[in-house]
Amino acid sequence: MSQVPARASTGAPVTELSRSLRLFDVTMVGVGAMIGAGIFALTGIAAGKAGPGLILAFCLNGILTLCTAMVYAEVGSAVPAAGGGYLWARLGLPGPAAFLVGWMDWLAHAVAGSLYAVIFGAYLVWGMQTIVGWGIPPTGAGHEAGMGTLFGVDAWPIAKGLTLLVCLGFLYINYRGSSETGKAGNIITVAKIIVIGIFILAGALAMTGESDVAVGDKFTPFLPEGFGGVLIAMGLTFIAFEGYEIIVQAGEEVIDPRRTIPKAVFLSLLIVIPIYVLVAIVCLGAMSIPDAVIADTGWGVTETWRYLAGLGETGVAVAANEFLPWGTGAILLVIGAVLSTMSALNATTFSSTRVSFAMGRDHVLPARLAHINPKTRTPSAALAASGVIIITVALVLPVEKVAAATCAMFLLVFAQVNIASIVIRRKYGDKLRYGYLVPGGPVIPVIAAVGQVGIAIWLLASQPLTLWLTVCWVVVGLVVYYTWSRRQESAHRATPVVFEQAPPRPEGAREMLVPVANPATAGALVDLAVRLADDDRHITVLNVVRVPEQLPSKATGQFVDGAKAVVQKAIDVAGDTNEIAGLIRVGRSPARCVVDTVNERNVDMLVMGWTGPKRRPLGMRHFTFGTDIDSVIRQADCDTLVLKGSVPQQCRRIVVPIAQPKQGRFAVAVARALLADGGSVEAVRIASKNDDCDEVREALRDDLSAGEGLPGDVQAEAIPAAGIVSGILEAASGADLLVLGASDTGLSRRAFTQLHYRVAERWPGPLLLVRMRSGAAKFAAQRTIEFMMSKEPEE
């Protein structure tokens, strides 16, 4: 079976990438992404927020990352396809949430690439200033000096030019293919690990050497800004721990992904987390603050964390230059920073491209993004789109500020993926082959999700610009989804229409849909629809040609003629008084065909037939009215009528049991529309033998009239009975029609319950079950809860 259950099958060809990455290659992709800005750019900035507590921030981020990495290893081994977290959100989260995961993931990786490109330019400029002496570097006493000067002019434009060149270079490398991307990344990543190893060793030796300041004093107080500073530092540096996700983004290009992906995820973290902690320790413990800076700022000699913050993105390079001899520190760290930012840029370019490629393939972004270059087998259009974002942000926007928003988005993306993994295991666990399972079930994903949401909230609350950038990007994403993506995705996934007979209709006309399957019952359904229709509401009769699983969708011609006959017979019932449209769809699921029609045609009333209760399986707890009816009710929000039998032409007595006021008023309105002249609608409420029937009757009147009085053809009655079902049957005795409204099940989509089933089973006459629409907000909440709690995969 397919490893990607959600991509169910529209029958369209699926574009695929070539598999060429081995364990070492894909591990280096993750390491290359993680060892980048986290060490060379954000260590100093984060030190300014947490002080020596930066060490704790790295450790806690490592633990949080390990929890989420377990989830990525589990789901990545079972669903190894391009898109990673976005694809899993498609399987484990409802539509808007899944789209937002991809939308935020795409921007977050692209902006991370922008950050790495900017740091590349900054470090190269700093190297020319410090090592070669071609300019004046920033002093470290603050950020007023900007990037200093180079060749006697402001260094900023030169740094931006270098940023542009490195962006273009790695866009080209990614265009050449994953094999070229992997080779370039491997060389760079191994080289920078060696450089950082030398840096850590030299820093450790410097800490053990003679000094006027005790090393321990530099770590006291450990939390000068409190634990809140640690949380902010965790949020700012979380971007440095997201490279393991890029391993999974490459799932479609990995050899033997079920075994390789979990190993690569854990190996990358085993390499990176100790490196981060050790770099923080040696930077804080081995550095000393120049006397001129102390005199200028008034800092204490032990407050090396303040000095690191003042140096900003070049803090680690200054530290290396201090405790490595003969100026080799600057040379070594410039080489390491350049290599790190290059490999991280390479990895994030790769990842952002795969996310946009997957979203294009799913038609939630333009399908052009799913185009694969036939020569290089790379998603060139998606690469170009990501390249535009990377270059624009790197050259135009304040990347350091946008990077904080990127961290917040990564945190929120990972939190949603953790939740999605729980749903995926419940819905698809027996349909997937896992190469690794997270121990403890949902405990670890829940802990990780709670921690990530908490850090994201703290970061957003403490960084107003970050909050606004994040909110703006999410709002833009929701606008794109609701105005374009949802419609395009529905059109792509919709079941095909093979026949349509549609009389002209005014634009925006309301639609009543009547699905028909059995010629013997089609007439009763259309007759009911005609009697309920008005000048503003038009009727469409739908027949579904159900295609067996083993038969190709296009081999349906032999069934269409029979379907046309069913539709035509249903239309003939209306005679010449109504212009009724006929429609035939092809699909493996009749329910999905009905839901597609409801969504496409703005259907506001649905009339379906029910053949009556069937034998219930032994021990069945949830009573249903048929798989298709239940599925349609869950997925379509419109007024719904389910007819058992046929409605008499002269309904002089219609009984409507009332339990819930809103649904009851709707049921009474339907009953009145079917009532013959001179007839009456009896609205009844079942009372217990201990209730005061007069009080129950008055309460029923108030519920139905809302203080305005009942129409003359509606009577309110209270019926004392030992049980609700027996009371309803007693009240309906001799009635021409029984109309039973849906229950108010809160945020559940189960409109008809065990009570409805038992009444329908025992009532011998015509029965009409009616359900009023929920409304957009309540329907969205109901569908979300249904999606998250159901164990059945979505169609």
Side-chain angles (χ1 to χ4, degrees), residues 620-702:
M620 179 175 178
R621 297 178 60 192
H622 298 295
F623 293 79
T624 61
F625 284 83
T627 303
D628 292 332
I629 292 175
D630 295 321
S631 184
V632 169
I633 288 174
R634 287 200 310 269
Q635 299 179 62
D637 187 36
C638 57
D639 296 337
T640 304
L641 286 69
V642 180
L643 176 64
K644 173 194 168 190
S646 59
V647 179
Q649 289 298 318
Q650 292 294 316
C651 289
R652 305 197 61 81
R653 178 171 176 254
I654 302 177
V655 174
V656 185
I658 304 293
Q660 197 271 333
K662 183 178 179 181
Q663 296 289 345
R665 289 192 290 270
F666 176 65
V668 168
V670 171
R672 292 185 67 205
L674 299 173
L675 193 64
D677 291 340
S680 66
V681 174
E682 295 180 14
V684 301
R685 179 164 287 172
I686 308 303
S688 71
K689 294 192 180 285
N690 297 324
D691 288 338
D692 185 326
C693 287
D694 291 335
E695 290 183 3
V696 173
R697 185 183 301 109
E698 288 305 312
L700 175 59
R701 287 179 179 277
D702 291 342

Side-chain angles (χ1 to χ4, degrees), residues 308-359:
L308 271 173
L311 292 167
E313 61 268 17
T314 59
V316 177
V318 172
N321 204 32
E322 179 180 334
F323 51 72
L324 278 168
W326 311 302
T328 57
I331 298 172
L332 194 67
L333 260 293
V334 167
I335 293 172
V338 167
L339 292 175
S340 293
T341 51
M342 286 169 65
S343 64
L345 172 59
N346 178 54
T348 49
T349 301
F350 179 94
S351 182
S352 65
T353 299
R354 269 53 184 180
V355 175
S356 54
F357 164 79
M359 296 182 77

Side-chain angles (χ1 to χ4, degrees), residues 220-258:
T220 306
F222 188 67
L223 300 177
E225 302 296 328
F227 191 73
V230 173
L231 292 177
I232 295 174
M234 287 177 69
L236 290 173
T237 59
F238 195 80
I239 190 175
F241 290 84
E242 56 81 30
Y244 63 88
E245 183 201 10
I246 298 176
I247 292 173
V248 184
Q249 301 286 7
E252 203 166 318
E253 295 156 274
V254 175
I255 298 171
D256 191 11
R258 189 168 289 107

Side-chain angles (χ1 to χ4, degrees), residues 1 8-10 545-556 559 586-590 592 795:
M1 63 156 291
S9 309
T10 58
V545 176
R546 186 167 188 170
V547 183
E549 291 290 340
Q550 65 272 19
L551 193 67
S553 297
K554 56 187 178 183
T556 56
F559 304 110
V586 174
R588 305 195 190 282
S589 165
R592 181 176 171 186
E795 295 179 353

Side-chain angles (χ1 to χ4, degrees), residues 377-502:
R377 302 298 300 163
T378 54
S380 52
L383 179 62
S386 295
V388 168
I389 296 176
I390 292 170
I391 292 173
T392 301
V393 173
L395 297 183
V396 177
L397 298 179
V399 182
E400 295 84 354
K401 300 296 184 183
V402 179
T406 302
C407 289
M409 282 188 267
F410 273 131
L411 285 161
L412 295 175
V413 165
F414 291 158
Q416 292 178 84
V417 170
N418 277 303
I419 299 303
S421 73
I422 301 171
V423 179
I424 289 171
R425 192 191 283 196
R426 187 175 66 248
K427 286 181 180 288
Y428 303 103
D430 59 343
K431 302 174 179 64
L432 297 171
R433 291 177 56 202
Y434 287 93
Y436 168 82
L437 285 174
V438 176
V443 175
I444 288 178
V446 168
I447 291 173
V450 170
Q452 286 154 349
V453 170
I455 295 170
I457 291 173
W458 191 275
L459 178 63
L460 293 172
S462 61
Q463 306 279 321
L465 181 59
T466 297
L467 173 63
W468 283 110
L469 287 170
T470 304
V471 168
C472 287
W473 184 251
V474 169
V475 169
V476 170
L478 288 174
V479 170
V480 170
Y481 177 78
Y482 283 106
T483 61
W484 189 86
S485 298
R486 184 171 61 168
R487 184 173 63 251
Q488 292 297 316
E489 182 186 23
S490 297
H492 175 70
R493 292 172 54 86
T495 50
V497 174
V498 294
F499 171 80
E500 183 171 7
Q501 174 184 320

Side-chain angles (χ1 to χ4, degrees), residues 122 125-127 129-130 135-149 155 293 307 310-314 318:
V125 165
W126 184 86
Q129 293 167 332
T130 304
I136 301 173
T139 65
H143 294 288
E144 297 81 1
M147 297 189 72
T149 63
V293 173
Y307 183 43
L311 292 167
E313 61 268 17
T314 59
V318 172

